[in-house]
Amino acid sequence: KPFQPVLDWYVFKAKPSKSSDRALYEETEWEQRWFWSFANYLPLLRFCQLNKVPLVALNVRAETTAKVRQRGLTSLSPDEREDLVMDARGFRA
């Protein structure tokens, strides 16, 4: 989710170029956060950019998943939990 603004920028505002591709790579912290090759995803990312197909940041922050893995859902603050759950009334921890 924290990368949604850069995805929106890349698709809707950035001029298609190698520099916008590089900015996307850097601003999404691709090398640190993703395990797959950016070059393999680049054709799809460019297609979305050229055709104005929205990209949606669905992944949970790695820091949050590590926290839950180590200490459980109850370790999340109310703000962290709200960030994860769109319908809090329909969710029970």
Side-chain angles (χ1 to χ4, degrees):
K1 285 186 175 184
F3 302 110
Q4 190 62 54
V6 72
L7 294 176
D8 291 342
W9 167 82
Y10 181 80
V11 170
F12 299 111
K13 295 180 182 174
K15 181 179 177 181
S17 66
K18 287 184 180 182
S19 71
S20 67
D21 296 342
R22 186 73 177 155
L24 178 67
Y25 177 83
E26 291 172 359
E27 294 298 317
T28 58
E29 302 172 6
W30 192 282
E31 188 173 330
Q32 295 83 24
R33 296 189 173 269
W34 314 119
F35 301 105
W36 44 83
S37 166
F38 185 76
N40 290 346
Y41 276 80
L42 195 51
L44 177 61
L45 296 168
R46 286 180 177 159
F47 174 87
C48 292
Q49 185 185 47
L50 292 171
N51 294 283
K52 304 302 181 207
V53 176
L55 293 166
V56 180
L58 295 175
N59 285 19
V60 174
R61 295 181 64 85
E63 297 83 357
T64 303
T65 57
K67 185 176 184 179
V68 170
R69 184 174 45 254
Q70 293 168 0
R71 295 181 287 201
L73 283 173
T74 56
S75 69
L76 297 178
S77 70
D79 288 340
E80 289 170 320
R81 193 173 289 208
E82 185 177 309
D83 187 47
L84 297 176
V85 181
M86 302 308 282
D87 178 13
R89 293 187 303 170
F91 176 80
R92 294 193 183 245

